[in-house]
């Protein structure tokens, strides 16, 4: 089974960036550096919600949670654990 971080990295590189040219790394600041724009963030949220069966509320869409693939994976891990505990 693919890890959360690997799934996010694959989605960003293949779906958002089209698998052409440069590829994002796990610790690249993909929103701050403009690699992923606001439409890309919206698509990424949709992917997270469907792939990991969690809701991503608007107040959680912050640079702290979406800075890099690594921070997104940590955020998702927290959301999944929180959902399992309730």
């Amino acid at each position: 089974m693919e890890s959360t971080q690997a799934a996010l990295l694959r989605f960003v590189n293949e779906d958002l960036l089209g698998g052409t040219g440069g590829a994002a790394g796990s610790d690249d600041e993909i929103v701050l550096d403009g690699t992923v724009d606001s439409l890309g963030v919206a698509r990424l949220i949709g992917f997270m919600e469907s792939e990991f069966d969690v809701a991503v509320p608007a107040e959680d869409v912050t640079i702290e949670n979406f800075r890099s693939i690594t921070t997104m994976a940590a955020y998702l891990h927290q959301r999944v654990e929180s959902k399992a505990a309730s």
Side-chain angles (χ1 to χ4, degrees):
M1 187 168 138
E2 190 174 38
S3 73
T4 302
Q5 189 164 324
L8 289 167
L9 195 57
R10 179 186 45 77
F11 179 79
V12 167
N13 285 320
E14 293 178 8
D15 291 66
L16 297 184
L17 302 181
T20 59
S26 294
D27 294 319
D28 292 349
E29 295 186 350
I30 60 174
V31 174
L32 288 175
D33 71 9
T35 301
V36 175
D37 61 12
S38 58
L39 181 57
V41 171
R43 290 180 59 200
L44 191 51
I45 292 167
F47 171 76
M48 290 173 163
E49 290 181 333
S50 66
E51 184 75 12
F52 302 102
D53 193 30
V54 296
V56 179
E59 62 268 14
D60 284 0
V61 183
T62 64
I63 198 62
E64 292 80 15
N65 291 333
F66 284 80
R67 178 176 303 276
S68 67
I69 300 295
T70 301
T71 60
M72 287 183 245
Y75 165 75
L76 280 172
H77 181 70
Q78 178 185 23
R79 294 291 297 166
V80 168
E81 283 192 354
S82 174
K83 180 180 175 184
S86 58

Coordinates of all heavy atoms in Angstrom, one line a residue:
M1 N 0.8 -1.2 0.0 CA 0.0 0.0 0.0 C 0.9 1.2 0.0 O 1.9 1.3 0.7 CB -0.9 0.0 1.2 CG -1.9 1.1 1.2 SD -3.1 0.8 2.5 CE -3.3 2.4 3.1
E2 N 0.5 2.2 -0.8 CA 1.2 3.5 -0.9 C 1.1 4.3 0.3 O 0.0 4.4 0.9 CB 0.7 4.2 -2.1 CG 1.5 5.4 -2.6 CD 0.9 6.0 -3.9 OE1 -0.3 6.0 -4.1 OE2 1.7 6.4 -4.7
S3 N 2.2 4.9 0.8 CA 2.1 5.8 2.0 C 1.4 7.1 1.6 O 1.3 7.4 0.5 CB 3.5 6.1 2.5 OG 4.2 7.0 1.6
T4 N 0.9 7.8 2.7 CA 0.3 9.0 2.5 C 1.1 10.0 1.7 O 0.7 10.6 0.8 CB -0.1 9.6 3.8 OG1 -1.0 8.7 4.5 CG2 -0.8 11.0 3.7
Q5 N 2.4 10.1 2.1 CA 3.3 11.0 1.5 C 3.6 10.7 0.1 O 3.6 11.5 -0.8 CB 4.6 11.1 2.3 CG 5.6 12.2 1.8 CD 6.6 12.5 2.9 OE1 6.4 12.4 4.1 NE2 7.8 12.8 2.4
A6 N 3.7 9.4 -0.2 CA 4.0 8.9 -1.6 C 2.7 9.2 -2.5 O 2.9 9.6 -3.6 CB 4.3 7.5 -1.6
A7 N 1.5 9.0 -1.9 CA 0.3 9.3 -2.7 C 0.2 10.7 -3.0 O -0.2 11.1 -4.2 CB -0.9 8.8 -1.9
L8 N 0.5 11.6 -2.1 CA 0.4 13.0 -2.3 C 1.4 13.5 -3.3 O 1.1 14.3 -4.2 CB 0.6 13.8 -1.0 CG -0.5 13.8 0.0 CD1 0.0 14.3 1.4 CD2 -1.7 14.5 -0.5
L9 N 2.6 13.0 -3.2 CA 3.7 13.3 -4.1 C 3.4 12.8 -5.5 O 3.6 13.6 -6.5 CB 5.0 12.6 -3.6 CG 6.3 13.1 -4.3 CD1 6.5 14.6 -4.1 CD2 7.5 12.4 -3.6
R10 N 2.8 11.6 -5.7 CA 2.4 11.1 -7.0 C 1.3 12.0 -7.6 O 1.4 12.4 -8.7 CB 1.9 9.7 -6.9 CG 1.4 9.1 -8.2 CD 0.8 7.7 -8.0 NE -0.2 7.6 -6.9 CZ -1.4 8.1 -6.9 NH1 -1.9 8.8 -7.9 NH2 -2.2 7.9 -5.9
F11 N 0.3 12.4 -6.8 CA -0.8 13.2 -7.3 C -0.2 14.6 -7.7 O -0.6 15.1 -8.8 CB -1.8 13.4 -6.2 CG -3.0 14.3 -6.7 CD1 -4.0 13.8 -7.5 CD2 -3.0 15.7 -6.3 CE1 -5.0 14.6 -8.0 CE2 -4.1 16.5 -6.8 CZ -5.0 15.9 -7.6
V12 N 0.6 15.2 -6.9 CA 1.1 16.5 -7.3 C 1.9 16.4 -8.6 O 1.8 17.2 -9.5 CB 2.0 17.1 -6.2 CG1 2.8 18.3 -6.7 CG2 1.1 17.5 -5.0
N13 N 2.9 15.5 -8.7 CA 3.7 15.4 -9.8 C 3.0 14.9 -11.1 O 3.3 15.4 -12.2 CB 4.9 14.5 -9.5 CG 5.9 15.2 -8.6 OD1 6.2 16.4 -8.8 ND2 6.5 14.5 -7.7
E14 N 2.1 13.9 -11.0 CA 1.5 13.4 -12.1 C 0.2 14.2 -12.5 O 0.0 14.4 -13.7 CB 1.1 11.9 -11.9 CG 2.4 11.0 -11.8 CD 2.0 9.6 -11.5 OE1 0.9 9.2 -11.6 OE2 3.0 8.8 -11.3
D15 N -0.6 14.5 -11.6 CA -1.9 15.1 -11.9 C -1.8 16.7 -12.0 O -2.3 17.3 -12.9 CB -3.0 14.7 -10.9 CG -3.3 13.3 -11.1 OD1 -2.5 12.4 -10.8 OD2 -4.5 13.0 -11.5
L16 N -1.2 17.3 -11.0 CA -1.1 18.7 -11.0 C 0.0 19.3 -11.9 O -0.2 20.3 -12.6 CB -0.9 19.3 -9.6 CG -2.0 19.0 -8.6 CD1 -1.7 19.6 -7.2 CD2 -3.3 19.4 -9.1
L17 N 1.1 18.6 -11.9 CA 2.2 19.1 -12.8 C 2.3 18.3 -14.1 O 3.2 18.6 -14.9 CB 3.6 19.0 -12.0 CG 3.6 19.7 -10.7 CD1 5.0 19.5 -10.0 CD2 3.3 21.2 -10.8
G18 N 1.5 17.4 -14.3 CA 1.4 16.7 -15.6 C 2.5 15.7 -15.9 O 2.6 15.3 -17.0
G19 N 3.3 15.5 -14.9 CA 4.4 14.5 -15.1 C 5.5 14.9 -16.1 O 6.2 14.1 -16.6
T20 N 5.4 16.2 -16.5 CA 6.4 16.7 -17.4 C 7.4 17.7 -16.8 O 7.0 18.4 -15.9 CB 5.7 17.4 -18.6 OG1 5.0 18.5 -18.1 CG2 4.8 16.5 -19.4
G21 N 8.6 17.7 -17.2 CA 9.5 18.6 -16.7 C 9.9 18.4 -15.3 O 10.1 17.3 -14.8
G22 N 10.0 19.5 -14.5 CA 10.4 19.4 -13.1 C 9.3 18.6 -12.2 O 8.2 18.6 -12.6
A23 N 9.9 18.1 -11.2 CA 9.0 17.4 -10.3 C 9.2 18.0 -8.9 O 10.3 18.4 -8.5 CB 9.4 15.9 -10.2
A24 N 8.1 18.0 -8.1 CA 8.2 18.5 -6.7 C 8.8 17.4 -5.8 O 8.5 16.2 -6.0 CB 6.8 18.9 -6.2
G25 N 9.5 17.8 -4.8 CA 10.1 16.9 -3.8 C 9.2 17.0 -2.6 O 8.4 18.0 -2.4
S26 N 9.4 16.1 -1.7 CA 8.6 16.1 -0.4 C 8.7 17.3 0.4 O 7.7 17.7 1.1 CB 9.0 14.8 0.4 OG 8.7 13.7 -0.3
D27 N 9.9 18.0 0.4 CA 10.0 19.1 1.3 C 10.0 20.5 0.5 O 10.3 21.5 1.1 CB 11.3 19.0 2.1 CG 11.2 17.8 3.1 OD1 10.1 17.7 3.7 OD2 12.2 17.1 3.2
D28 N 9.7 20.4 -0.8 CA 9.6 21.7 -1.5 C 8.4 22.5 -1.1 O 7.4 21.9 -0.8 CB 9.5 21.4 -3.0 CG 10.7 20.8 -3.6 OD1 11.8 20.7 -3.0 OD2 10.7 20.3 -4.8
E29 N 8.6 23.8 -1.0 CA 7.4 24.6 -0.6 C 6.6 24.9 -1.8 O 6.7 26.0 -2.3 CB 8.0 25.9 0.1 CG 8.7 25.5 1.4 CD 9.1 26.7 2.3 OE1 9.0 27.9 1.8 OE2 9.5 26.5 3.4
I30 N 5.8 24.0 -2.2 CA 5.1 24.0 -3.5 C 4.0 25.1 -3.6 O 3.7 25.5 -4.7 CB 4.5 22.6 -3.8 CG1 3.5 22.2 -2.8 CG2 5.6 21.6 -4.0 CD1 2.8 20.9 -3.1
V31 N 3.5 25.6 -2.5 CA 2.5 26.7 -2.6 C 3.3 28.0 -2.6 O 3.0 28.9 -3.4 CB 1.5 26.6 -1.5 CG1 0.5 27.8 -1.5 CG2 0.7 25.3 -1.6
L32 N 4.2 28.2 -1.7 CA 4.9 29.4 -1.6 C 5.8 29.7 -2.8 O 5.9 30.9 -3.2 CB 5.9 29.4 -0.4 CG 5.2 29.5 1.0 CD1 6.2 29.4 2.1 CD2 4.4 30.8 1.1
D33 N 6.3 28.7 -3.4 CA 7.1 28.9 -4.6 C 6.3 29.0 -5.9 O 6.9 29.2 -7.0 CB 8.3 27.9 -4.7 CG 7.9 26.5 -5.1 OD1 6.7 26.3 -5.5 OD2 8.7 25.6 -5.0
G34 N 5.0 28.8 -5.8 CA 4.2 28.9 -7.0 C 4.0 27.7 -7.8 O 3.4 27.7 -8.9
T35 N 4.6 26.6 -7.4 CA 4.5 25.3 -8.1 C 3.1 24.9 -8.2 O 2.6 24.4 -9.3 CB 5.4 24.2 -7.5 OG1 6.7 24.6 -7.4 CG2 5.3 22.9 -8.2
V36 N 2.3 25.0 -7.1 CA 0.9 24.7 -7.1 C 0.2 26.0 -6.8 O 0.4 26.7 -5.8 CB 0.6 23.7 -6.0 CG1 -0.9 23.4 -5.9 CG2 1.3 22.3 -6.3
D37 N -0.8 26.4 -7.7 CA -1.6 27.6 -7.5 C -2.9 27.3 -6.7 O -3.1 26.2 -6.3 CB -1.9 28.3 -8.8 CG -2.7 27.4 -9.8 OD1 -3.2 26.3 -9.4 OD2 -2.8 27.7 -11.0
S38 N -3.7 28.3 -6.6 CA -4.9 28.1 -5.8 C -5.9 27.0 -6.4 O -6.5 26.3 -5.6 CB -5.7 29.4 -5.7 OG -6.0 30.0 -6.9
L39 N -5.9 26.9 -7.7 CA -6.8 25.9 -8.3 C -6.1 24.5 -8.0 O -6.8 23.6 -7.7 CB -6.8 26.1 -9.8 CG -7.7 25.1 -10.6 CD1 -9.1 25.0 -10.1 CD2 -7.7 25.4 -12.1
G40 N -4.8 24.4 -8.0 CA -4.1 23.2 -7.7 C -4.4 22.8 -6.2 O -4.6 21.6 -5.9
V41 N -4.4 23.8 -5.3 CA -4.7 23.5 -3.9 C -6.1 23.0 -3.8 O -6.4 22.0 -3.1 CB -4.5 24.7 -3.0 CG1 -5.0 24.5 -1.6 CG2 -3.0 25.1 -3.0
A42 N -7.1 23.5 -4.5 CA -8.5 23.0 -4.5 C -8.5 21.6 -5.0 O -9.2 20.8 -4.4 CB -9.4 23.9 -5.3
R43 N -7.8 21.3 -6.1 CA -7.8 19.9 -6.6 C -7.1 19.0 -5.6 O -7.5 17.8 -5.4 CB -7.0 19.9 -7.9 CG -7.8 20.5 -9.1 CD -7.1 20.5 -10.4 NE -6.8 19.1 -10.8 CZ -5.9 18.8 -11.7 NH1 -5.2 19.7 -12.2 NH2 -5.7 17.5 -12.0
L44 N -6.1 19.5 -5.0 CA -5.3 18.7 -3.9 C -6.3 18.4 -2.8 O -6.3 17.2 -2.3 CB -4.1 19.5 -3.5 CG -3.1 18.8 -2.6 CD1 -2.6 17.5 -3.2 CD2 -1.9 19.7 -2.4
I45 N -7.1 19.3 -2.3 CA -8.0 19.1 -1.3 C -9.0 18.0 -1.7 O -9.4 17.1 -0.9 CB -8.7 20.4 -0.8 CG1 -7.7 21.3 -0.2 CG2 -9.9 20.1 0.1 CD1 -8.2 22.8 0.0
G46 N -9.5 18.1 -2.9 CA -10.5 17.1 -3.4 C -9.9 15.7 -3.4 O -10.5 14.7 -3.0
F47 N -8.6 15.6 -3.8 CA -7.9 14.4 -3.8 C -7.8 13.8 -2.4 O -8.0 12.7 -2.1 CB -6.5 14.5 -4.4 CG -5.6 13.3 -4.2 CD1 -5.8 12.2 -5.0 CD2 -4.6 13.3 -3.3 CE1 -5.0 11.1 -4.9 CE2 -3.8 12.2 -3.2 CZ -4.0 11.1 -3.9
M48 N -7.4 14.7 -1.4 CA -7.2 14.3 0.0 C -8.5 13.8 0.5 O -8.6 12.7 1.2 CB -6.8 15.5 0.8 CG -5.4 15.9 0.6 SD -5.1 17.5 1.6 CE -3.3 17.6 1.6
E49 N -9.6 14.5 0.3 CA -10.9 14.1 0.8 C -11.4 12.7 0.2 O -11.9 11.9 1.0 CB -11.9 15.2 0.6 CG -11.7 16.4 1.4 CD -12.6 17.5 1.2 OE1 -13.3 17.6 0.2 OE2 -12.8 18.3 2.2
S50 N -11.2 12.5 -1.1 CA -11.6 11.3 -1.6 C -10.7 10.1 -1.4 O -11.1 9.0 -1.0 CB -11.9 11.4 -3.1 OG -10.6 11.7 -3.8
E51 N -9.4 10.4 -1.4 CA -8.4 9.3 -1.3 C -8.3 8.8 0.2 O -8.1 7.7 0.4 CB -7.0 9.8 -1.8 CG -5.9 8.8 -1.7 CD -6.0 7.7 -2.8 OE1 -6.8 7.9 -3.8 OE2 -5.3 6.8 -2.7
F52 N -8.4 9.8 1.1 CA -8.2 9.4 2.5 C -9.4 9.5 3.4 O -9.4 9.3 4.6 CB -7.1 10.4 3.1 CG -5.8 10.2 2.4 CD1 -5.4 11.2 1.5 CD2 -5.0 9.1 2.5 CE1 -4.2 11.1 0.7 CE2 -3.8 9.0 1.8 CZ -3.4 10.0 0.9
D53 N -10.6 9.8 2.7 CA -11.9 9.8 3.4 C -11.9 10.7 4.6 O -12.3 10.3 5.7 CB -12.3 8.3 3.8 CG -13.8 8.2 4.2 OD1 -14.6 9.0 3.6 OD2 -14.1 7.4 5.0
V54 N -11.4 11.9 4.4 CA -11.5 12.9 5.5 C -12.0 14.2 4.9 O -11.9 14.4 3.7 CB -10.1 13.2 6.1 CG1 -9.5 12.0 6.8 CG2 -9.1 13.7 5.1
A55 N -12.6 15.0 5.8 CA -13.0 16.3 5.4 C -11.9 17.3 5.7 O -11.2 17.2 6.7 CB -14.3 16.7 6.1
V56 N -11.7 18.2 4.8 CA -10.7 19.3 5.0 C -11.4 20.6 5.1 O -11.8 21.2 4.1 CB -9.6 19.3 3.9 CG1 -8.6 20.4 4.1 CG2 -8.9 18.0 3.7
P57 N -11.7 21.1 6.3 CA -12.4 22.3 6.5 C -11.6 23.5 6.0 O -10.4 23.5 6.0 CB -12.7 22.4 8.0 CG -11.8 21.4 8.6 CD -11.3 20.4 7.6
A58 N -12.3 24.5 5.6 CA -11.6 25.7 5.0 C -10.6 26.3 6.0 O -9.6 26.8 5.6 CB -12.7 26.8 4.6
E59 N -10.9 26.3 7.3 CA -10.0 26.9 8.3 C -8.7 26.1 8.4 O -7.7 26.6 8.9 CB -10.7 27.0 9.6 CG -11.1 25.8 10.3 CD -12.6 25.4 10.0 OE1 -13.2 25.9 9.1 OE2 -13.1 24.5 10.7
D60 N -8.7 24.9 7.9 CA -7.4 24.1 7.9 C -6.5 24.3 6.7 O -5.4 23.8 6.6 CB -7.8 22.6 8.0 CG -8.2 22.2 9.4 OD1 -8.2 23.0 10.3 OD2 -8.5 21.0 9.6
V61 N -7.1 25.0 5.7 CA -6.3 25.3 4.5 C -5.4 26.5 4.8 O -5.7 27.7 4.4 CB -7.2 25.5 3.3 CG1 -6.4 25.7 2.0 CG2 -8.2 24.4 3.1
T62 N -4.3 26.2 5.4 CA -3.3 27.2 5.8 C -1.9 26.9 5.3 O -1.7 25.7 4.9 CB -3.2 27.4 7.4 OG1 -2.7 26.1 7.9 CG2 -4.6 27.7 8.0
I63 N -1.1 27.8 5.2 CA 0.3 27.6 4.8 C 1.0 26.6 5.7 O 1.8 25.8 5.2 CB 1.1 28.9 4.6 CG1 2.3 28.6 3.7 CG2 1.5 29.5 5.9 CD1 2.0 28.2 2.3
E64 N 0.7 26.6 7.0 CA 1.3 25.6 7.9 C 0.9 24.2 7.5 O 1.8 23.3 7.6 CB 0.8 25.9 9.3 CG 1.4 27.2 9.9 CD 0.6 28.4 9.5 OE1 -0.5 28.3 8.9 OE2 1.2 29.5 9.7
N65 N -0.3 24.0 7.1 CA -0.7 22.6 6.7 C -0.4 22.2 5.3 O -0.3 21.0 4.9 CB -2.2 22.4 6.9 CG -2.6 22.5 8.4 OD1 -1.8 22.1 9.3 ND2 -3.8 22.9 8.7
F66 N -0.2 23.2 4.4 CA 0.0 22.9 3.0 C 1.3 23.4 2.4 O 1.5 23.6 1.2 CB -1.2 23.6 2.2 CG -2.5 22.8 2.3 CD1 -3.3 22.9 3.4 CD2 -2.8 21.9 1.3 CE1 -4.4 22.1 3.5 CE2 -4.0 21.1 1.4 CZ -4.8 21.3 2.5
R67 N 2.3 23.7 3.3 CA 3.6 24.2 2.9 C 4.3 23.2 2.0 O 4.9 23.6 1.0 CB 4.4 24.4 4.1 CG 5.8 24.9 3.8 CD 6.6 25.2 5.1 NE 5.9 26.2 5.9 CZ 6.0 27.5 5.8 NH1 6.7 28.0 4.8 NH2 5.4 28.3 6.6
S68 N 4.3 21.9 2.3 CA 5.0 20.9 1.5 C 4.2 19.6 1.6 O 3.3 19.4 2.3 CB 6.4 20.8 2.0 OG 6.4 20.2 3.3
I69 N 4.7 18.6 0.8 CA 4.1 17.3 0.8 C 4.3 16.7 2.2 O 3.3 16.1 2.8 CB 4.8 16.4 -0.2 CG1 4.6 16.9 -1.6 CG2 4.3 14.9 -0.1 CD1 3.2 17.0 -2.2
T70 N 5.4 17.0 2.8 CA 5.6 16.4 4.2 C 4.7 17.0 5.2 O 4.1 16.3 6.0 CB 7.1 16.8 4.6 OG1 8.0 16.2 3.7 CG2 7.4 16.3 6.0
T71 N 4.4 18.3 5.1 CA 3.4 18.9 6.1 C 2.0 18.5 5.8 O 1.2 18.3 6.7 CB 3.6 20.5 6.1 OG1 3.3 21.0 4.8 CG2 4.9 20.9 6.6
M72 N 1.7 18.3 4.5 CA 0.4 17.8 4.2 C 0.1 16.4 4.7 O -0.9 16.1 5.2 CB 0.1 17.9 2.6 CG 0.0 19.2 2.1 SD -0.4 19.2 0.3 CE 1.1 20.0 -0.3
A73 N 1.1 15.6 4.5 CA 1.0 14.2 5.0 C 0.9 14.2 6.5 O 0.0 13.4 7.1 CB 2.3 13.4 4.6
A74 N 1.6 15.0 7.3 CA 1.4 15.1 8.7 C 0.0 15.6 9.1 O -0.6 15.1 10.0 CB 2.5 16.1 9.3
Y75 N -0.5 16.6 8.3 CA -1.8 17.1 8.6 C -2.8 16.0 8.4 O -3.7 15.8 9.2 CB -2.1 18.3 7.7 CG -3.6 18.6 7.6 CD1 -4.2 19.3 8.6 CD2 -4.3 18.2 6.5 CE1 -5.6 19.5 8.6 CE2 -5.7 18.5 6.4 CZ -6.3 19.2 7.5 OH -7.7 19.4 7.5
L76 N -2.7 15.2 7.3 CA -3.7 14.2 7.0 C -3.6 13.1 8.0 O -4.6 12.5 8.4 CB -3.4 13.6 5.6 CG -3.9 14.3 4.4 CD1 -3.4 13.7 3.1 CD2 -5.5 14.3 4.5
H77 N -2.4 12.7 8.5 CA -2.2 11.7 9.5 C -3.0 12.2 10.8 O -3.7 11.4 11.4 CB -0.8 11.5 9.9 CG -0.5 10.5 10.9 ND1 -0.7 9.2 10.7 CD2 -0.1 10.7 12.2 CE1 -0.4 8.5 11.8 NE2 0.0 9.4 12.7
Q78 N -2.9 13.4 11.1 CA -3.6 14.0 12.3 C -5.1 13.9 12.0 O -5.9 13.5 12.9 CB -3.2 15.4 12.5 CG -3.9 16.1 13.6 CD -3.5 17.6 13.7 OE1 -3.1 18.2 12.7 NE2 -3.7 18.2 14.9
R79 N -5.6 14.3 10.9 CA -7.1 14.2 10.5 C -7.6 12.8 10.6 O -8.7 12.6 11.1 CB -7.3 14.8 9.2 CG -7.1 16.3 9.0 CD -8.0 17.2 9.8 NE -9.4 17.0 9.3 CZ -10.4 17.5 10.0 NH1 -10.2 18.1 11.1 NH2 -11.6 17.3 9.5
V80 N -6.8 11.8 10.1 CA -7.3 10.4 10.1 C -7.3 9.9 11.5 O -8.3 9.2 11.8 CB -6.4 9.6 9.1 CG1 -6.6 8.1 9.3 CG2 -6.5 10.0 7.7
E81 N -6.3 10.2 12.3 CA -6.3 9.7 13.7 C -7.5 10.4 14.4 O -8.1 9.7 15.2 CB -5.0 10.0 14.3 CG -3.9 9.1 13.9 CD -2.7 9.2 14.8 OE1 -2.6 10.1 15.7 OE2 -1.8 8.4 14.6
S82 N -7.7 11.6 14.2 CA -8.8 12.4 14.9 C -10.2 11.7 14.5 O -11.0 11.6 15.4 CB -8.8 13.8 14.5 OG -9.9 14.5 15.0
K83 N -10.3 11.4 13.2 CA -11.6 10.8 12.8 C -11.8 9.4 13.4 O -12.9 9.0 13.8 CB -11.6 10.7 11.2 CG -12.8 10.1 10.7 CD -12.7 10.0 9.2 CE -14.0 9.2 8.7 NZ -13.9 9.0 7.2
A84 N -10.7 8.6 13.5 CA -10.7 7.3 14.1 C -11.1 7.3 15.6 O -11.7 6.4 16.1 CB -9.4 6.6 13.8
A85 N -10.6 8.4 16.2 CA -10.9 8.5 17.7 C -12.3 8.9 18.0 O -12.8 8.7 19.1 CB -9.9 9.5 18.3
S86 N -13.0 9.5 17.0 CA -14.4 10.0 17.3 C -15.4 9.0 17.0 O -15.2 7.9 16.6 CB -14.7 11.2 16.5 OG -14.5 11.0 15.1

